[in-house]
């Protein structure tokens, strides 16, 4: 017979922390390491893997930054380089309305096996989540929470040009289905990410004067992204859109929550636009969190990346 008191007495802080980890499925359009493509999905995944409070139970590939085969290969390469090939990667629908996929089936399986425990971080098109709901109409009820990066409440105007919204607009119908029917949804909008800019000087300070393996890897894979943002948009750095959403999922204490009513239409979502509703006209309620202290937020991200174990 097992002595329960002995077992509990032997449990340390590490055991309790592991028990309290969030079980996360990361649905993303990762193009980390792909020339001329966005890097923040990969940085968000590295953040989650470095976060002691997070357990990534699977990654599902969606489109947005690029096509599914490129996203799939980027994810497999990243997890191989990190020595985390134990994490399942499932391929999603290749375009608008393609809701039948291994990714949507995986999402349903996880929510059914662990009802009330699965947190979803979605940083690309929302086709896979819509597909999961179409497969199981109780899917959203089983999921603990959903944090998505996407949408705008006003145009993203930069020095050289206006930046298009590239997540919600990928599949407006899927976006409408998810945001109006899912429970406990938080949306990290493009506008709310603009509070914190990661500059080249800060980047060099953290990444170029250290031999930490994770920092060396990030430095080698992402330094070019500063030049792209400067040349195309006139931005003297870059915004960690998807990392911001990942931080909110695991550490919401760095944010101020704002729950608001919206009246969403597929036409407006073609541009990724979230329209606030007059009282009584809303068709969904969403939490749009805003970053609190800038430097504390940045330091937390750098410190978490530092903890990522390389192969």
């Amino acid at each position: 017979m097992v002595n329960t008191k002995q077992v509990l007495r032997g449990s340390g802080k590490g055991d309790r922390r592991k028990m309290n980890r969030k079980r996360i499925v990361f649905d993303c359009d990762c193009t980390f390491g792909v020339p001329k493509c966005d890097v923040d999905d990969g940085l968000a995944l590295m953040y989650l893997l470095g976060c002691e409070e997070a357990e990534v139970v699977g990654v599902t590939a969606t489109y947005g930054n690029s096509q599914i085969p490129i996203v799939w290969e980027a994810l497999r390469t990243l997890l191989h380089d990190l020595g985390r090939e134990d994490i399942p990667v499932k391929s999603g629908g290749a375009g608008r309305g393609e809701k039948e996929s291994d990714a949507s089936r995986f999402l349903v399986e996880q929510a059914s096996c662990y009802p009330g425990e699965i947190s979803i971080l979605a940083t690309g098109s929302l086709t896979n989540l819509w597909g999961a709901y179409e497969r199981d109409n109780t899917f959203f009820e089983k999921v603990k929470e959903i944090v998505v990066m996407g949408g705008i409440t006003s145009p993203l105007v930069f020095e050289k040009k206006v930046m298009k919204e590239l997540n919600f607009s990928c599949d407006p119908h899927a976006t409408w289905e998810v945001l109006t029917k899912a429970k406990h949804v938080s949306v990290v909008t493009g506008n709310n990410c603009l509070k914190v800019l990661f500059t080249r000087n800060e980047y060099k300070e953290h990444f170029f004067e250290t031999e930490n393996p994770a920092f060396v890897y990030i430095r080698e894979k992402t330094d070019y992204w500063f030049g792209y943002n400067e040349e195309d948009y006139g931005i003297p750095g870059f915004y960690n859109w998807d990392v911001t959403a990942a931080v909110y999922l695991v550490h919401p204490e760095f944010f101020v929550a704002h729950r608001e009513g919206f009246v969403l239409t597929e036409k407006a979502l073609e541009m990724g636009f979230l329209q606030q509703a007059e009282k009584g006209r809303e068709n969904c309620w969403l939490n749009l969190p805003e970053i609190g202290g800038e430097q504390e937020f940045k330091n937390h991200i750098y410190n978490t990346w530092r903890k990522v174990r390389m192969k």
Side-chain angles (χ1 to χ4, degrees):
M1 180 180 292
V2 177
N3 189 321
T4 306
K5 291 183 179 180
Q6 287 181 348
V7 173
L8 292 175
R9 191 179 298 120
S11 299
K13 291 183 179 179
D15 298 318
R16 290 195 297 273
R17 186 182 296 117
K18 187 173 182 179
M19 290 174 62
N20 293 326
R21 281 179 170 181
K22 286 196 173 186
R23 300 178 62 89
I24 299 169
V25 176
F26 186 21
D27 186 69
C28 64
D29 54 345
C30 178
T31 48
F32 190 84
V34 179
K36 299 182 179 180
C37 286
D38 211 331
V39 301
D40 57 334
D41 292 83
L43 291 174
L45 180 55
M46 290 188 70
Y47 169 83
L48 293 176
L49 295 179
C51 193
E52 296 175 343
E53 298 85 357
E55 178 186 2
V56 180
V57 298
V59 182
T60 49
T62 190
Y63 59 94
N65 289 336
S66 192
Q67 299 174 342
I68 285 291
I70 293 174
V71 173
W72 169 266
E73 188 60 34
L75 280 171
R76 299 292 296 179
T77 299
L78 175 56
L79 290 172
H80 169 78
D81 291 347
L82 297 177
R84 291 306 310 269
E85 292 170 291
D86 57 301
I87 298 175
V89 180
K90 303 295 180 180
S91 183
R96 287 189 181 189
E98 295 192 25
K99 53 186 182 292
E100 286 289 334
S101 66
D102 289 342
S104 61
R105 284 188 285 272
F106 179 78
L107 286 162
V108 169
E109 289 169 1
Q110 289 296 309
S112 297
C113 288
Y114 305 98
E117 296 182 28
I118 297 297
S119 298
I120 297 174
L121 175 64
T123 60
S125 67
L126 296 182
T127 306
N128 293 338
L129 272 65
W130 174 41
Y133 173 72
E134 287 289 295
R135 175 171 287 273
D136 177 3
N137 290 156
T138 66
F139 172 69
F140 291 137
E141 297 172 16
K142 296 174 182 175
V143 170
K144 179 180 180 179
E145 61 191 329
I146 299 175
V147 174
V148 294
M149 191 281 130
I152 55 175
T153 52
S154 61
L156 301 175
V157 182
F158 296 102
E159 183 179 336
K160 294 186 177 181
K161 63 180 180 181
V162 176
M163 182 180 289
K164 294 181 179 179
E165 199 282 338
L166 298 175
N167 286 352
F168 289 0
S169 56
C170 290
D171 191 341
H173 181 71
T175 301
W176 187 90
E177 291 279 350
V178 173
L179 297 187
T180 60
K181 295 180 180 177
K183 313 294 183 184
H184 311 297
V185 179
S186 296
V187 178
V188 177
T189 66
N191 306 87
N192 285 348
C193 289
L194 299 183
K195 183 172 182 178
V196 176
L197 179 70
F198 287 72
T199 67
R200 185 182 286 274
N201 287 338
E202 291 173 345
Y203 203 72
K204 286 183 176 180
E205 179 184 341
H206 285 275
F207 292 128
F208 281 73
E209 296 181 5
T210 178
E211 292 307 311
N212 177 286
F215 279 5
V216 171
Y217 184 70
I218 292 174
R219 180 179 71 206
E220 293 174 350
K221 295 290 186 180
T222 67
D223 187 51
Y224 75 92
W225 197 238
F226 288 98
Y228 170 84
N229 278 273
E230 179 64 39
E231 292 170 13
D232 267 38
Y233 293 98
I235 303 172
F238 69 84
Y239 298 100
N240 267 306
W241 319 94
D242 298 343
V243 180
T244 302
V247 176
Y248 180 74
L249 176 60
V250 186
H251 285 285
E253 65 270 19
F254 289 106
F255 296 75
V256 178
H258 291 283
R259 190 168 183 267
E260 303 173 32
F262 292 84
V263 54
L264 302 184
T265 66
E266 289 187 38
K267 182 178 180 180
L269 289 171
E270 287 278 357
M271 303 295 292
F273 185 66
L274 301 173
Q275 183 177 351
Q276 286 184 292
E278 296 179 5
K279 188 173 182 180
R281 293 191 59 208
E282 59 276 334
N283 59 6
C284 71
W285 288 84
L286 303 170
N287 173 35
L288 272 59
E290 295 182 19
I291 301 167
E294 176 182 346
Q295 198 55 54
E296 184 182 25
F297 175 79
K298 283 185 178 180
N299 290 341
H300 168 72
I301 292 172
Y302 284 123
N303 289 335
T304 304
W305 279 335
R306 184 178 286 111
K307 297 175 184 176
V308 176
R309 295 180 181 179
M310 299 296 294
K311 184 168 63 174

